[in-house]
Amino acid sequence: MRRQTAAAVAAVSMLAGTIGLTPAAQAAYPTKSFDITYGATYARGKVTFYNRSVHVSGVERAVPSSGCRFVEVWTYNASGDLDFQAEVGGTCNGVVDFNVDVAADAPGGASYVVVKFWYRDSSWNNQRVLTSAKVLRP
């Protein structure tokens, strides 16, 4: 009898794991896409808004004739004040993935995010913002 009970408990545990009975892990958070294109280069991805942070993931592309590219993410609270910023990615040739978590330490998290697409020369001495996208919390 003990053997059958242990087997039944194991079977139920395995079933619960396979059908995903973990409500916290299944919570949906608001997500918004962005697409920044500058000539033949781009940064594309999505922003996921959490209660005290944002997660930004995507891809960026650079071509050798256009210099290096990188992405910077800035979070803003409901008053429009800058909370935090983070630099991510960076390529001088090709397509690279990027992922970054940025704090948004305000009640309810960030109201919006600004994703900036930067240029740097290959010596990394000269740099400037090429363009940016404001991503509003849905």
Side-chain angles (χ1 to χ4, degrees):
M1 183 70 174
R2 286 186 192 172
R3 190 182 277 172
Q4 289 175 336
T5 303
V9 169
V12 169
S13 296
M14 285 182 7
L15 179 61
T18 59
I19 61 172
L21 295 178
T22 54
Q26 301 297 323
Y29 292 97
T31 300
K32 193 120 183 224
S33 296
F34 64 90
D35 185 343
I36 303 171
T37 301
Y38 189 88
T41 63
Y42 59 80
R44 297 178 180 140
K46 66 180 182 173
V47 179
T48 303
F49 291 84
Y50 298 102
N51 291 331
R52 295 274 180 173
S53 67
V54 298
H55 179 78
V56 182
S57 61
V59 296
E60 62 182 307
R61 177 179 189 256
V63 294
S65 61
S66 67
C68 303
R69 300 289 190 260
F70 72 96
V71 171
E72 193 173 50
V73 179
W74 298 43
T75 61
Y76 292 85
N77 63 26
S79 300
D81 299 323
L82 174 66
D83 279 333
F84 293 93
Q85 67 188 58
E87 181 181 319
V88 65
T91 182
C92 297
N93 184 18
V95 178
V96 295
D97 295 331
F98 62 84
N99 285 285
V100 65
D101 293 308
V102 185
D105 198 17
S111 290
Y112 65 93
V113 168
V114 174
V115 180
K116 296 183 178 187
F117 194 43
W118 284 80
Y119 158 84
R120 276 191 184 143
D121 66 14
S122 58
S123 67
W124 295 82
N125 291 325
N126 300 310
Q127 62 184 29
R128 69 180 183 278
V129 175
L130 297 171
T131 187
S132 62
K134 184 176 182 178
V135 183
L136 301 174
R137 184 183 198 109

